[in-house]
Amino acid sequence: MSASRDEADKIGAAEHFPGQNPHPVMRIDHGGKVTYANASSTPLLEMVGVGIGDQLPNEWRDRIEDAASAATSIELNIGPRTFELLAVHLPEQGFTNLYGTDVTAARLVDKFPDLNPNPVLRVSEDGELRYANAASEELRHAIGAEVGEHLPESIRHRLFDVLDGRERELPEVTDRHGAWRLTPLRIPELGLINVYGTDITALKALVKFPDANPNPVFRLTWDGAVAYANPASADLIAGLGGSVGSALPEFVHEPLLAAARAGNLERLEVE
């Protein structure tokens, strides 16, 4: 068995088969020689210009030693991809392990919130507010949330109920400028939750004053009768063979009422 095969077998036994790891795993001896690299490490090795058995350039050896001593990671850009390289120094075994993680998606998510004109919050799994963009200032004041502190219990429970499927209705919050609907989204790569605020001020106004809505709005009783219809719905109601105070045909009101009872946001198309 060759020396390189022996080395690979040792690594497999010690580190649970890094050759099957989708992330880069490499090993550097104290002299700066690359003694092992799994297949996922190829882009990193090509960038540095070395292969297994080659010496690292002094610049890279120094960067790795500094990162291992300071317990920090090295960030590398390879084309459109971004990698974080963690160096773990094992002096008693005479080598340093390098663990790479592709953080491209995470970096894009990190950059995105500041550019969003709507509120974006970032919350930990235990409900701590870790980040808030500038557009969320009024919203944060309305719910009493500060970066570095836990969200108030009431809003925290509502968000996690939606995330975990216990609740379908998204939380709504009102600040001095209007109303916001909050949509939570888990980002598993970061171990965090993004909460996106959508301005529903105009929508809330139209719900309260449906006569002002340029689109058809009508209300049904639970037996299918039209209890209200705004002016824009006149042609639609007439075309369906209904009128205010009378029931719509069964093929229209039965699926609508069934969806309402089940809490489903289903659409019914009619001509």
Side-chain angles (χ1 to χ4, degrees):
M1 182 178 292
S2 67
S4 61
R5 179 64 181 276
D6 288 339
E7 180 69 5
D9 287 344
K10 292 176 185 177
I11 294 172
E15 298 176 11
H16 304 289
F17 312 106
Q20 299 175 19
N21 195 326
H23 301 294
V25 178
M26 292 168 281
R27 178 164 290 171
I28 313 298
D29 69 16
H30 284 345
K33 183 172 70 174
V34 180
T35 61
Y36 171 81
N38 67 353
S40 302
S41 305
T42 301
L44 302 180
L45 294 177
E46 289 178 348
M47 186 194 73
V48 180
V50 297
I52 297 175
D54 293 339
Q55 288 291 127
L56 285 173
N58 290 338
E59 173 194 355
W60 278 99
R61 186 179 62 190
D62 292 343
R63 287 186 68 182
I64 290 169
E65 289 180 356
D66 291 344
S69 300
T72 58
S73 59
I74 301 170
E75 188 165 299
L76 308 173
N77 293 311
I78 304 176
R81 301 170 67 188
T82 302
F83 288 86
E84 266 191 357
L85 198 61
L86 177 67
V88 179
H89 191 39
L90 301 171
E92 68 281 0
Q93 298 185 41
F95 54 73
T96 298
N97 279 353
L98 301 175
Y99 303 97
T101 304
D102 188 336
V103 295
T104 308
R107 289 294 176 270
L108 290 174
V109 172
D110 283 340
K111 294 174 183 177
F112 171 72
D114 287 330
L115 304 177
N116 197 322
N118 295 318
V120 179
L121 309 177
R122 184 163 289 159
V123 182
S124 68
E125 286 288 348
D126 65 354
E128 180 185 340
L129 181 59
R130 298 283 183 83
Y131 164 86
N133 69 349
S136 69
E137 183 178 2
E138 292 295 338
L139 173 64
R140 287 188 291 107
H141 289 165
I143 63 178
E146 295 294 338
V147 176
E149 300 178 359
H150 283 79
L151 292 176
E153 187 174 346
S154 58
I155 192 68
R156 185 167 76 241
H157 284 172
R158 291 166 66 191
L159 290 170
F160 279 90
D161 282 348
V162 171
L163 280 168
D164 298 331
R166 295 186 295 270
E167 178 61 59
R168 295 174 59 92
E169 187 174 350
L170 297 173
E172 295 179 3
V173 176
T174 301
D175 62 23
R176 65 178 182 173
H177 293 301
W180 302 92
R181 179 172 292 145
L182 304 183
T183 303
L185 176 67
R186 274 196 170 93
I187 311 294
E189 296 83 358
L190 300 179
L192 297 170
I193 296 156
N194 276 6
V195 180
Y196 301 96
T198 302
D199 190 345
I200 57 170
T201 308
L203 177 61
K204 300 287 281 187
L206 288 175
V207 169
K208 291 180 180 178
F209 307 105
D211 283 344
N213 196 323
N215 299 310
V217 177
F218 57 92
R219 294 181 180 136
L220 299 181
T221 64
W222 285 112
D223 60 3
V226 180
Y228 163 85
N230 73 345
S233 67
D235 290 339
L236 174 60
I237 297 297
L240 293 173
S243 62
V244 175
S246 65
L248 286 176
E250 289 185 359
F251 80 91
V252 177
H253 79 245
E254 284 188 349
L256 286 175
L257 296 177
R261 288 189 176 98
N264 295 331
L265 299 178
E266 296 179 356
R267 297 178 182 270
L268 176 65
E269 293 187 3
V270 294
E271 293 184 3

